[in-house]
Amino acid sequence: MDSALEELMPRLLPVGDCDLPEDFDPTVPPRTPQEYLRRVQLEAAQCPDVVVAQIDSKKLRKKQTVSISISGCQPAPEGYSPSLKWQQQQVANFSAVRQNVNRHRNHWRSQHLDSNVTMPKSEDEEGWKKFCLGERLYSEIDALSDNENLGIDYIKMGFPPLLSIVSRMNQATITSVLEYLINWFGEKKFTPELGRWLYALLACLEKPLLPEAHSLIRQLARRCSEVRVLEENRNEEQISALNLMICLVSRYFDQRDLADEPS
């Protein structure tokens, strides 16, 4: 190892010249401390100065980094911006819901699920979309068939976010399902089924937020603001639901740059 390199990489344990026998063979296991240290020196001298790792990109997870956009939400249509008092009340209600969920989580987790409830695995994106939204909505089937039985078919209509269900979901699953539904919402319309699940998942999301969850809820708020602007019929109930999502993300989860200005 030359002197210039030694200046950049000083030896932690300087070793002087070793008094080794003439028949010293560095390929055989060392028999003395001097032979061991000499062998280490020889191996270090053979190491290249620069090493480039060969990375198999196929083995990497699809999303290793989290991109957080700093862009804000689009303003509400004229006359539909929520008042500050309304937003504060929604935050207070939401906080109370979260406290109740946390207080009774263990109780509801211990309750038996109905025989027709089979929760998908955390990584099953399509399974969770069908579970939450129902096969009819997922497959965009608008009408019931003539031979449809009375009563609720949750396979077709989607399972509601019952406490006995969401209480069984750990934070990794909650974040994954939130991502699946937000991705679905990115290309589809806002529906009551979607709104109920988004509210329930936000109510179960622990603070402080992990970076991935932080990015997801900001994406949700921005998407709500886009849909709100594009709402042609100005359906007050739907706009109110979109306002609520934006309010919770911005004011409860402290994403204040996304908040609606009070009307």
Side-chain angles (χ1 to χ4, degrees), residues 136-200:
R136 288 177 57 246
L137 183 59
Y138 178 80
S139 303
E140 297 183 334
I141 301 173
D142 294 328
L144 293 171
S145 60
D146 294 336
N147 59 354
E148 195 78 51
N149 294 326
L150 297 177
I152 300 176
D153 184 343
Y154 287 115
I155 302 299
K156 291 184 171 60
M157 304 297 294
F159 290 91
L162 303 174
L163 285 173
S164 56
I165 293 176
V166 296
S167 294
R168 284 174 161 79
M169 300 167 65
N170 58 30
Q171 286 299 298
T173 301
I174 289 170
T175 302
S176 294
V177 178
L178 190 61
E179 179 181 8
Y180 302 153
L181 295 183
I182 291 174
N183 288 342
W184 188 89
F185 183 34
E187 300 176 354
K188 308 291 183 178
K189 61 184 180 180
F190 188 87
T191 65
E193 295 86 353
L194 176 64
R196 285 192 290 268
W197 267 99
L198 291 175
Y199 188 94

Side-chain angles (χ1 to χ4, degrees), residues 197-211:
W197 267 99
L198 291 175
Y199 188 94
L201 293 172
L202 291 178
C204 296
L205 198 61
E206 293 180 356
K207 296 175 70 174
L209 296 176
L210 295 175

Side-chain angles (χ1 to χ4, degrees), residues 204-222:
C204 296
L205 198 61
E206 293 180 356
K207 296 175 70 174
L209 296 176
L210 295 175
E212 183 177 1
H214 179 242
S215 176
L216 284 172
I217 65 171
R218 290 181 63 85
Q219 180 182 341
L220 171 61
R222 290 193 298 271

